[in-house]
Structure formats: structure tokens, C-alpha cells
Amino acid sequence: MSFRETREMLLLAYDSKIISDEEFLVLWESCHSKNPDFPYSSYARFDLENIHESECLAEFRVQKQDIPVLANVLQLPMNIRCPQRTICDRIEGLCMLLRRFSYPCRYSDMISRFGRPVPEICMITNEVMDNTFNNHSHRISQWNDDIILNPHLLQEYADVIHAKGAPLENCFRFIDGTVRPIARPDQQQRIVYNGDKRVHSLKFQSVALPNGLIGNMYGPVEGKKHDASMLVDSNLLHELEQNAFSPTGEPMCVFGDPAYPLRVHLQAPFRHGTLTPVMEGYNAEMSSVRVTVEWLFGGIINDFKFLDFKKNLNIGMSSVGKMYLVCAILNNAITCLYGNSTSEFFGLNPPSLQDYFT
């Protein structure tokens, strides 16, 4: 008999005066559960060895053999400790995080996989997310010149982009902003409302590399902010002026859409006056390779579909911006392991997982 059926019988017995007030209260408390349909004690605790390879890839987006490797490079502690002293090993904690973000789900949907109550799953997931953000957010928020943005690699990126038909010979990556819809907040709705997309949202500015990695990401900012305003706030132009040079000292540039201004290190399509056939051809050829930045945005959502379910993304109840940034880091890790459509398009492999997280 389920908890729900037991409570219904208790209510019927109490209404029929079969049991007293005291008996009803004692029996009601003994069979009450916050998760009545999911008694976690009836499920076995999580064991990665008992999960089939296909289930692992579908639920965690990572092959079974690579999960311990990912936990190691993320430098997760051997045991995840929550404030109320709940403990789990890092493999289980990482799998909780990946399972949570891989598809829109409630914590109660994860009980059958991990054999833990909802509060524990929630706290462990948040601990792993915070650990990943605190230790690795600099890999996409700062200029990572050691592994993916040193002068020799900038030249290599520019060469493969030019070989794919881009007229510019010194363009090494692409910049764009993305709008991530969220649930309508209770307060300050106008600040996060994006009039162009007509949704309440947060915005992020991302720079895509031809090896399939997100080289830099800035955000979150309020949904109403313009891409050009994000560019100023991100201080990206200053970083380009300081670091974006080839091995021979030639300035390198990023390429954006017409919303961005023209600078030595930032190029955009022709957009004023009457365009000549040569100008139109230039725009079309650059657009054909710049579309890869949209592939990277789509890749984050395809791997972590939880971010596409805006009803669960309430900025007053959860760290929505941190979730997106952590998923961007994890998406870079998955790209290092398996590549993606962008790296295949340009024929340029990303660094190994160990090199990227060095």
C-alpha cells in the first residue's frame, strides 16, 4: 500500500470516528513523506559500474569511462560535503550535476537513479556547481593565453578561418551575444525584458574559436542590454588591444555582427550606404563562417536542455546565470573529449581535456 492510500484510509477512519485525535496525529506523522510517490529508501544507492554505457551517455552526456577523468580535471574533492554534513563521493556528485542539467527534470525525478531524498540531491548538486564555478570560471571569463589564446594559436585560428573562405586573413574568432529566456520575475520585469526577442531574459556575450571551444564569455547581464553595451562592460576590447597579436606582431581581430563598432581588433560587415557587389560578397563570405558561433550557443542548449526550460529558470529562486556559465565550462570539456560540429567544420581539433584544465 502506498503512502497516499494509507493517508486516505487514515482520513476516512478519522472522519468515521474510528480513531481518536491523538491516534490520528501519530499515525499521520508516521506515514507522511515529502516525496510520497518516491520513497528513496526503496532504491539502491548510485553506483556508476551498474549503469549501462548508453544510459550514461544519455543521462550525463559523457561516456562512462570519461566521467572519472572529468571529475579529476575539474579538481572536485574526493568527498562532497554539504553544510548539514551530507557526504557523497565526487563521481556521484558530478553525475548529479550532469543529470540535473542534461534534461528538464525535478529533483524528485532523480531519486530513482541516486537513491537519496530530494534535499540531499539538491544540496549536493549545488555544492558541485559552486565548486566548478569557483575553480574554473576564469577559463572562460579571462584571457586564457596559456592554452587556447597564445599568439601562435591565434595565427593558426586565423589561417583555418581564412582557408574556409573568409576574406579577412587576421580574423581568429567570432563574437556574438545570446539571449537566454527566463521565467518572468516578480519584480523589475522591465530590466530583464528583451524587446527584440520579446522575452524576459539574461544575456551573455560569447567569443567562439574555430576549434569548437568558447574562448571567452561575459555575463549574465540584464536582458534589455544592447550587444555594444555588453562589449564595453566586458572590457574585451582592452584585452584584445593588449594580447591579440600574431607571432610577428601583426594585430589580430575578432568578427561580429553589425551591432558592433569597427576597431582595429574588431571587425564587422559593411552596413552603411549603398553596398557594391564586392561589399555584399564580403558580407556573405564572412557570414558563412561566422555562423559557427551560433552552433556553439546551440551546442550548450543541446547538451544541457535544462537551460531551455524557462519555467524552471527563476532568478529569484536559483542562480540562473551561474548555471549557464557552468554549463558552458562543461560544454568546453565535452568538446575537448569528443569535438563538435565547429571543430569538424574548420578541421581543427580542440586541446585535450587535461591540457585545457591545466
Side-chain angles (χ1 to χ4, degrees):
M1 182 180 297
S2 68
F3 283 101
R4 182 178 297 176
E5 293 171 339
T6 302
R7 291 198 303 275
E8 290 175 352
M9 291 185 63
L10 283 175
L11 290 172
L12 182 61
Y14 180 72
D15 186 65
S16 302
K17 308 298 184 183
I18 297 176
I19 57 177
S20 64
D21 293 347
E22 293 78 11
E23 291 172 331
F24 172 77
L25 290 174
V26 172
L27 293 172
W28 179 264
E29 287 296 326
S30 65
C31 73
H32 180 69
S33 172
K34 292 183 179 180
N35 302 290
D37 295 327
F38 301 92
Y40 68 91
S41 59
S42 63
Y43 295 103
R45 282 298 179 94
F46 175 81
D47 185 1
L48 184 61
E49 296 300 322
N50 295 331
I51 302 178
H52 192 270
E53 180 66 45
S54 60
E55 291 180 312
C56 188
L57 192 58
E59 293 188 20
F60 309 137
R61 301 296 189 250
V62 179
Q63 293 179 8
K64 186 174 179 178
Q65 62 185 9
D66 294 325
I67 288 181
V69 179
L70 181 57
N72 186 50
V73 298
L74 289 175
Q75 301 174 6
L76 296 176
M78 295 303 296
N79 291 307
I80 308 297
R81 298 178 182 271
C82 299
Q84 46 68 269
R85 299 181 181 179
T86 292
I87 299 177
C88 80
D89 68 85
R90 65 179 182 176
I91 299 299
E92 181 181 5
L94 176 60
C95 289
M96 282 188 189
L97 180 70
L98 294 171
R99 176 66 182 88
R100 173 66 168 167
F101 289 146
S102 65
Y103 203 79
C105 67
R106 300 166 295 182
Y107 285 116
S108 58
D109 299 329
M110 300 166 61
I111 292 178
S112 59
R113 173 58 72 193
F114 297 99
R116 289 179 180 268
V118 166
E120 289 189 11
I121 296 176
C122 177
M123 286 185 289
I124 293 170
T125 301
N126 287 333
E127 282 291 320
V128 178
M129 180 176 68
D130 290 343
N131 186 284
T132 303
F133 179 81
N134 293 335
N135 291 334
H136 301 288
S137 61
H138 66 278
R139 302 189 187 281
I140 59 174
S141 63
Q142 300 176 12
W143 186 275
N144 190 350
D145 60 349
D146 293 331
I147 303 301
I148 59 175
L149 293 175
N150 63 62
H152 292 282
L153 285 177
L154 298 189
Q155 186 63 60
E156 184 179 5
Y157 299 155
D159 290 342
V160 297
I161 291 174
H162 180 61
K164 270 296 180 179
L168 288 175
E169 297 182 2
N170 65 336
C171 174
F172 69 95
R173 58 182 185 174
F174 305 98
I175 183 173
D176 200 4
T178 183
V179 176
R180 293 313 316 155
I182 60 174
R184 185 175 65 181
D186 296 330
Q187 299 177 349
Q188 299 180 332
Q189 296 182 19
R190 290 182 179 273
I191 295 179
V192 297
Y193 185 76
N194 184 278
D196 182 32
K197 304 295 183 180
R198 298 185 178 181
V199 291
H200 295 88
S201 62
L202 297 177
K203 291 191 71 173
F204 297 84
Q205 174 185 276
S206 181
V207 177
L209 298 174
N211 61 3
L213 294 181
I214 297 171
N216 182 269
M217 180 170 284
Y218 173 75
V221 299
E222 57 271 25
K224 71 174 186 178
K225 204 146 203 174
H226 192 271
D227 286 356
S229 180
M230 276 201 300
L231 176 68
V232 174
D233 294 342
S234 68
N235 203 34
L236 179 62
L237 277 178
H238 177 72
E239 291 184 341
L240 290 171
E241 291 168 357
Q242 295 293 320
N243 302 289
F245 294 93
S246 70
T248 59
E250 297 296 324
M252 310 294 285
C253 71
V254 299
F255 188 85
D257 60 27
Y260 294 100
L262 287 175
R263 299 290 185 272
V264 172
H265 296 279
L266 175 62
Q267 297 296 305
F270 291 101
R271 56 187 183 271
H272 297 302
T274 302
L275 301 185
T276 66
V278 174
M279 293 177 178
E280 292 178 349
Y282 171 89
N283 287 351
E285 290 171 352
M286 290 303 301
S287 178
S288 67
V289 290
R290 198 191 74 85
V291 71
T292 55
V293 71
E294 302 292 346
W295 297 352
L296 290 187
F297 288 145
I300 297 176
I301 302 304
N302 287 335
D303 282 336
F304 304 107
K305 291 184 172 61
F306 181 87
L307 299 174
D308 206 27
F309 188 58
K310 70 176 185 179
K311 291 185 178 180
N312 269 5
L313 304 178
N314 192 318
I315 58 176
M317 299 180 63
S318 57
S319 304
V320 180
K322 183 186 292 186
M323 290 179 182
Y324 190 84
L325 292 171
V326 169
C327 286
I329 296 169
L330 294 174
N331 183 258
N332 272 1
I334 293 174
T335 299
C336 290
L337 287 170
Y338 315 121
N340 59 18
S341 56
T342 300
S343 63
E344 292 176 0
F345 177 79
F346 288 106
L348 187 61
N349 293 327
S352 68
L353 190 65
Q354 289 77 9
D355 286 343
Y356 179 72
F357 284 96
T358 299

